[in-house]
Amino acid sequence: FGMTTPATVGGKIFLIFYGLIGCAATILFFNLFLERIITVLAFVLKSCHEVQRRRKGVLPHDSRQDSSNTRLNREDSLAGWKPSVYCVMLILCVAAIIISCCASAMYSSIEGWGYLDSLYFCFVAFSTIGFGDMVSSQRVSYENQTVYRIGNFFFILMGVCCIYSLFNVISIVIKQVLNWLLKRLEIPCRHCPGRSLRPRRNAVMPGHVRTRVRNISIDTDAVNDSETDGRRMSGEMISMRDFLAANKVNLAIMQKQLSETANGHPRPCGSTNRHNGFSGGVGALGIMNNRLAETSVDR
């Protein structure tokens, strides 16, 4: 927030070098938090999905004398299941809202702010914007000061972790929307008259354009012929069905990672990843590692 700053030259120099390690370690901590929270969410969603299938009679009910063949059949029946990325994004959004509302109630009662002002402070603090117009715990003394400072630390830590994880998931959707907008513009190539730019592999495009190209399969990551749905989207916005169909590539990476973590089987590192030194991950960090591995092979 800028309320406490170094005053001496030595303190400023120390801050520069310490910030290189401290900021990098903080980003690593947030990435590890994102990986762990997505692992927990994937396990919970898989358990809920398994309970729903048992109620419908698709899976047999558990018993103490469950044979190995029954367990293998149940695992095979759930092998193709993948948790929804949008469901994970919704859960993170709800968690961030709950933490912000609880923290706002604490700030409004102790700091004397209005509830909306407290919500504003929570977003500014949790998103690490830190304007400094409103700062908590700046009085000389508070009632139950120790408890308030512990609660302030807990809410800020959990709020920043949830907002950071939510921003990573939202950034994937924003990227796909930008790809779709660029495709709608159809900017021609200056060096190739009469030809438009080649669509990227994971670019989102309307249904009538997607039917003329080939897309990527979710499970095999292979090229398959897309199916025509008989709709024209030239004069209207892209539908959710077309958006999800064209958004398969990036979502498939995260969905496969969520499924593997929910099943408790670590993702095997392929020869390409071992050769280039890039390891897999979960969420935005895993997508970045996969992209680095692909570009390294191209080079």
Side-chain angles (χ1 to χ4, degrees):
F1 295 107
M3 307 303 294
T4 303
T5 58
T8 62
V9 177
K12 295 177 181 178
I13 295 176
F14 172 78
L15 178 64
I16 293 175
F17 290 98
Y18 178 78
L20 294 176
I21 301 175
C23 293
T26 303
I27 294 175
L28 176 61
F29 172 77
F30 289 152
N31 285 328
L32 292 177
F33 176 85
L34 174 61
E35 182 177 350
R36 296 301 182 270
I37 197 65
I38 289 181
T39 301
V40 174
L41 291 178
F43 178 78
V44 173
L45 292 175
K46 179 178 179 293
S47 300
C48 295
H49 178 73
E50 188 174 354
V51 170
Q52 291 179 356
R53 298 195 67 182
R54 283 201 188 99
R55 291 178 178 178
K56 294 179 180 179
V58 180
L59 293 179
H61 294 278
D62 292 334
S63 60
R64 295 182 179 179
Q65 298 180 351
D66 194 6
S67 62
S68 59
N69 293 330
T70 305
R71 289 195 300 269
L72 291 176
N73 293 332
R74 184 170 63 249
E75 292 178 358
D76 292 339
S77 61
L78 294 173
W81 177 84
K82 298 181 181 63
S84 173
V85 178
Y86 296 103
C87 186
V88 174
M89 182 175 64
L90 179 61
I91 294 175
L92 289 175
C93 183
V94 171
I97 292 175
I98 292 175
I99 293 176
S100 299
C101 292
C102 294
S104 299
M106 182 185 68
Y107 292 135
S108 62
S109 61
I110 297 179
E111 296 289 347
W113 300 336
Y115 193 79
L116 294 179
D117 292 335
S118 300
L119 284 174
Y120 163 77
F121 167 76
C122 289
F123 178 78
V124 171
F126 296 166
S127 59
T128 66
I129 296 175
F131 289 122
D133 52 348
M134 299 177 65
V135 182
S136 63
S137 188
Q138 293 300 308
R139 297 180 187 175
V140 178
S141 62
Y142 289 90
E143 185 180 356
N144 299 325
Q145 185 170 354
T146 303
V147 178
Y148 172 61
R149 289 184 175 178
I150 294 176
N152 189 21
F153 171 79
F154 172 78
F155 279 122
I156 290 179
L157 178 63
M158 297 304 298
V160 171
C161 290
C162 290
I163 291 294
Y164 175 84
S165 304
L166 182 62
F167 284 170
N168 274 282
V169 179
I170 293 177
S171 64
I172 300 175
V173 180
I174 293 177
K175 176 186 175 184
Q176 298 305 316
V177 173
L178 292 177
N179 288 336
W180 176 75
L181 291 176
L182 291 176
K183 183 60 184 179
R184 293 280 294 185
L185 293 176
E186 295 183 355
I187 303 175
C189 180
R190 296 180 179 179
H191 303 285
C192 305
R195 297 176 58 185
S196 59
L197 294 176
R198 294 181 58 187
R200 298 181 61 182
R201 186 184 65 172
N202 57 348
V204 177
M205 59 191 68
H208 70 285
V209 179
R210 193 179 71 253
T211 55
R212 296 196 298 266
V213 298
R214 300 193 301 177
N215 53 17
I216 308 298
S217 174
I218 287 183
D219 298 328
T220 61
D221 199 24
V223 179
N224 298 325
D225 292 331
S226 60
E227 299 177 356
T228 59
D229 54 1
R231 296 186 59 187
R232 286 192 167 274
M233 306 293 293
S234 58
E236 53 187 284
M237 294 180 63
I238 187 171
S239 63
M240 183 58 67
R241 176 184 176 184
D242 293 332
F243 179 80
L244 293 176
N247 201 18
K248 289 179 179 179
V249 177
N250 273 350
L251 298 183
I253 296 175
M254 183 178 290
Q255 286 176 340
K256 292 168 72 175
Q257 291 166 348
L258 292 175
S259 177
E260 291 168 358
T261 53
N263 291 324
H265 302 289
R267 183 180 179 182
C269 298
S271 59
T272 305
N273 292 344
R274 290 196 298 267
H275 178 73
N276 296 287
F278 299 108
S279 60
V282 177
L285 185 60
I287 294 176
M288 181 184 68
N289 290 334
N290 293 334
R291 182 63 62 188
L292 290 175
E294 294 175 0
T295 55
S296 177
V297 172
D298 295 337
R299 292 174 187 172

